[in-house]
Structure formats: structure tokens, C-alpha cells
Amino acid sequence: MKGIVLSGGSGTRLYPMTRAANKQLLPVYNKPMVYYPLTTLMLAGCREILLVVNPHDVESYRRLFGDGRQWGLAIDYAVQPRPGGIAEVFLVGRDFIGKDRVGLILGDNLFYGDSLPAVAERGAKGSGAVIYAYWVADPSAYGVIEFDAQDR
């Protein structure tokens, strides 16, 4: 399975910090934020990774990750000219994806917990789409996932 990290946004909610630095490159504890979703994809078994970034930050990502060889990865880059949503990432990355299965994670999503390796691996081995979410008291403050009666 291949992995895609979407880091193409402009980070406007964190201005003025993100006027000078990409949000996903800002530190969380002791490493850039984007390391966390990349690690999640690695736990799911992804070794071919596409980083989808905005045109202003692609060189910063290349300096940070290179081709990924130092972590046993093959990292490619694609530019999303302007924020176009999650679905557009599959169009931007269609040549990378080809006919392979793919896992997509947002560059600012941090998943954690003792069961994370097992959950990531189980999702990677399943069929169909798997959505990971977390219950929160006020979902209107975040992206909201809704399912119909057929779990679609």
C-alpha cells in the first residue's frame, strides 16, 4: 500500500507563524508536525509516500525528507497549486497511485495510543475504505464525519 500526506494548506488559522513557515513543519514536542502522520503511514506498512505540498514550501520539504531513503522510504512530491480539498489530492496524485491501494493522512493529524500500530496495520489489510476518527464533545469545532444508514 502507498501513502499520501496532504500538507498543501496555507495554515491561515495560525497566522502570523505560518506566514514564515509551513504549518506542518512547525515543531510539536521535538520534531516537525508532519513526522507524526508520516510515522502513522509507516506503521500501516506504507513505504512509498507522496507528499502533496503547496508550491511555496516544496523545497523545504525536499530539504527535510530528501528521497526518504534514510528511513527506508521512497518519497515523491506533488504540488497542489492552491488548497482544493481532500478529494483533489487523489487527482493530484493519480500517477503516483496508479492501480495500487493508498492511505491518505492529513499533515496536521496526530494519532496516538498503545493500539495505534495494530489499528493502522488492520486498516491497511482491510478491503474498501477505512476512516479513522475520534469522538469529541463538540464536533462542530472540527471536521465532521457523517455516515448514512448503510455506513457510507
Side-chain angles (χ1 to χ4, degrees), residues 10-27:
S10 54
T12 55
R13 289 183 299 241
L14 290 179
Y15 275 178
M17 296 252 313
T18 53
R19 290 185 64 84
N22 180 275
K23 176 175 69 173
Q24 290 85 3
L25 297 177
L26 294 175

Side-chain angles (χ1 to χ4, degrees), residues 53-74:
V53 300
N54 69 51
H56 308 291
D57 297 310
V58 67
E59 289 309 314
S60 295
Y61 279 91
R62 286 185 197 278
R63 279 192 305 275
L64 180 63
F65 290 112
D67 62 7
R69 217 177 316 173
Q70 66 272 33
W71 295 299
L73 302 173

Side-chain angles (χ1 to χ4, degrees), residues 8-149:
S10 54
T12 55
R13 289 183 299 241
L14 290 179
Y15 275 178
M17 296 252 313
T18 53
R19 290 185 64 84
N22 180 275
K23 176 175 69 173
Q24 290 85 3
L25 297 177
L26 294 175
V28 173
Y29 186 57
N30 63 350
K31 54 188 154 244
M33 183 186 306
V34 71
Y35 275 38
Y36 295 93
L38 181 64
T39 301
T40 301
L41 288 176
M42 292 170 70
L43 287 171
C46 298
R47 293 296 178 264
E48 295 177 61
I49 307 289
L50 179 67
L51 291 171
V52 179
V53 300
N54 69 51
H56 308 291
D57 297 310
V58 67
E59 289 309 314
S60 295
Y61 279 91
R62 286 185 197 278
R63 279 192 305 275
L64 180 63
F65 290 112
D67 62 7
R69 217 177 316 173
Q70 66 272 33
W71 295 299
L73 302 173
I75 296 179
D76 287 318
Y77 301 87
V79 173
Q80 186 179 32
R82 62 196 157 287
I86 295 171
E88 184 183 73
V89 173
F90 293 105
L91 295 175
V92 170
R94 68 179 162 251
D95 290 338
F96 170 80
I97 297 167
K99 296 193 181 296
D100 294 315
R101 296 178 64 223
V102 65
L104 171 75
I105 192 167
L106 303 181
D108 62 357
N109 283 190
L110 284 67
F111 294 89
Y112 64 93
D114 294 339
S115 62
L116 180 59
V119 169
E121 188 176 321
R122 190 169 54 248
K125 290 180 179 175
S127 62
V130 177
I131 298 173
Y132 296 95
Y134 186 79
W135 186 91
V136 294
D138 180 14
S140 65
Y142 304 92
V144 178
I145 298 172
E146 294 182 24
F147 293 96
D148 65 13

